[in-house]
Amino acid sequence: MLPSDLHEMRVIDGKTALITIYETLPYDLEEYGIDPEIGWVIGGVFQEIDIKTGEVLFEWNSLDHVPLSDSLASLDLDGVVGDGLTNGSAWDYFHINSVDKNHEGAYLVSARHTSCIYKISGQDGSILWQLGGTQSSFQLTNYEFSFQHDARFREENETTTILSFFDNGSNQHIYTSSTSSGMIVSIDHCTNTSTLIRQFNAPGNGLLSISQGNVQILPNKDVFIGWGSNPSISEHTEDGTAIFSATLASQGAQNYRAFKWNWTAHPIDPPALQAYSASTNSATTFWASWNGATEVDWWRIHAASPHSNEFIPLDVIYSQGFETKYASASYYPQSFAEAIGADGSSLANSSVVDTFLS
């Protein structure tokens, strides 16, 4: 069994997973000036695996379909590419970094070191078409890209394919752009042309990310971008206007991919409540919290008076964040807090606590 790689783990319909694999193999590199007995190459492999059983449903290897001559990362270019002389320095001629699948069962593969995006047959693994690189099936009419990441199917019909991807624009040795960007492109299969229809640039003077990066299209059609080797993220409206950006302060930090999702959490532990009063003749202050909960909009304090064991609701207080404070003019020796959702539903109660007296 081949070990999986970190570049891709994409779940399809909750049933299968797409993973990438970097397979190092001895290879005849005589035409590249290396003794045929000692050459080594890395093949870009992907598999589709049944999540429940672990069965490999489909496997593809770049070495069976993409010639070494298509690589734009020449031997011994840098430490990532390798010199092809040993197992540990094998030539990474392809560098697979994303895999997607459409409803018809075809795959979309992005390869950094060929600057190419491939549509792969889910029947026999043949290359149906390729965008970019040295043998593009389509003329790029108003744009160019290179060393890209995160290629995704967006829309398809018989005549048109729309893709999104992150254009790095450089590998620090070759440049097709001075800045990286998110791109949405349309392929016209009738004219064999491809057109850039949306481009998303980092705010200000832009960013050049020589590796990594991704493009996420949100439900409202905003676009969220992770800037890869630059530890930055940004959100853009459909027309490209940046409406949010942030950068990690830690030097040397990177983000391979970044995503924006609605985060919902319901902690296992119950809510917590602390109650305090200066004396049995003083007001009572309550502090309610529920660490990790995301759906609490309100708190209701229930308290028992010194003369009754019955708990009565005191008030409903709008959640103030991590901890919500509420003060009552009367003294209550016991109480509990009830977390309430936006729709008024009761989410959980704290345990009953005794009021601390100073």
Side-chain angles (χ1 to χ4, degrees):
M1 184 175 179
L2 296 173
S4 62
D5 167 74
L6 60 84
H7 285 84
E8 184 67 274
M9 169 59 174
R10 187 165 182 84
V11 175
I12 305 296
D13 296 330
K15 298 178 181 178
T16 66
L18 296 172
I19 63 170
T20 51
I21 297 165
Y22 280 51
E23 185 178 21
T24 303
L25 299 168
Y27 209 85
D28 184 353
L29 296 177
E30 184 175 15
E31 64 177 299
Y32 295 93
I34 295 177
D35 188 315
E37 300 298 321
I38 64 171
W40 290 85
V41 162
I42 299 176
V45 180
F46 77 83
Q47 292 178 341
E48 183 170 8
I49 298 174
D50 184 288
I51 295 173
K52 186 175 182 179
T53 66
E55 178 187 359
V56 176
L57 305 177
F58 188 87
E59 180 175 304
W60 185 88
N61 191 320
S62 65
L63 290 170
D64 298 328
H65 303 278
V66 181
L68 303 183
S69 57
D70 281 5
S71 182
L72 298 178
S74 57
L75 266 170
D76 206 20
L77 179 67
D78 54 35
V80 174
V81 175
D83 58 18
L85 295 175
T86 68
N87 186 324
S89 63
W91 183 18
D92 184 8
Y93 90 104
F94 191 72
H95 200 92
I96 188 171
N97 59 38
S98 71
V99 188
D100 198 10
K101 187 179 183 181
N102 66 11
H103 295 298
E104 297 176 352
Y107 300 95
L108 192 69
V109 169
S110 170
R112 178 187 180 195
H113 288 172
T114 60
S115 290
C116 191
I117 298 168
Y118 305 84
K119 184 177 182 180
I120 308 297
S121 168
Q123 301 298 315
D124 59 12
S126 61
I127 297 175
L128 301 176
W129 51 251
Q130 50 196 75
L131 177 69
T134 61
Q135 301 187 61
S136 182
S137 306
F138 312 102
Q139 178 186 357
L140 280 59
T141 61
N142 64 343
Y143 74 106
E144 55 184 343
F145 68 91
S146 61
F147 308 104
Q148 76 294 327
H149 286 72
D150 195 41
R152 304 296 173 193
F153 287 116
R154 294 302 174 188
E155 298 177 37
E156 281 190 289
N157 57 40
E158 293 182 356
T159 63
T160 306
T161 299
I162 296 178
L163 308 177
S164 69
F165 57 88
F166 183 83
D167 172 33
N168 294 83
S170 174
N171 65 347
Q172 207 171 17
H173 304 283
I174 301 171
Y175 293 80
T176 54
S177 176
S178 60
T179 58
S180 305
S181 64
M183 288 187 172
I184 300 177
V185 304
S186 176
I187 297 172
D188 187 329
H189 297 285
C190 297
T191 62
N192 290 330
T193 58
S194 175
T195 303
L196 177 69
I197 56 177
R198 292 282 190 278
Q199 186 170 20
F200 304 91
N201 297 293
N205 296 323
L207 294 169
L208 180 66
S209 299
I210 60 171
S211 67
Q212 307 163 87
N214 73 298
V215 175
Q216 178 193 14
I217 299 179
L218 301 175
N220 65 354
K221 296 186 179 181
D222 280 5
V223 173
F224 190 77
I225 297 181
W227 293 95
S229 57
N230 287 288
S232 300
I233 57 175
S234 61
E235 183 176 345
H236 307 253
T237 58
E238 190 177 8
D239 66 1
T241 303
I243 57 174
F244 172 83
S245 66
T247 300
L248 295 175
S250 176
Q251 292 186 353
Q254 303 178 31
N255 65 86
Y256 178 62
R257 290 177 185 163
F259 300 95
K260 180 180 180 181
W261 298 108
N262 178 47
W263 177 260
T264 302
H266 192 96
I268 297 175
D269 294 333
L273 178 67
Q274 181 72 38
Y276 166 79
S277 181
S279 71
T280 57
N281 296 314
S282 301
T284 307
T285 303
F286 305 88
W287 293 268
S289 64
W290 196 10
N291 189 16
T294 59
E295 297 181 292
V296 181
D297 275 44
W298 305 87
W299 290 97
R300 179 181 286 119
I301 303 299
H302 300 258
S305 73
H307 311 293
S308 172
N309 293 326
E310 181 182 356
F311 287 89
I312 59 173
L314 300 184
D315 206 349
V316 176
I317 313 100
Y318 186 72
S319 175
Q320 298 161 11
F322 174 76
E323 185 175 72
T324 297
K325 180 180 178 180
Y326 169 70
S328 173
S330 302
Y331 169 68
Y332 295 95
Q334 287 190 315
S335 57
F336 70 88
E338 178 188 8
I340 301 172
D343 61 357
S345 61
S346 179
L347 303 177
N349 293 341
S350 75
S351 59
V352 174
V353 300
D354 294 328
T355 297
F356 178 78
L357 292 169
S358 59

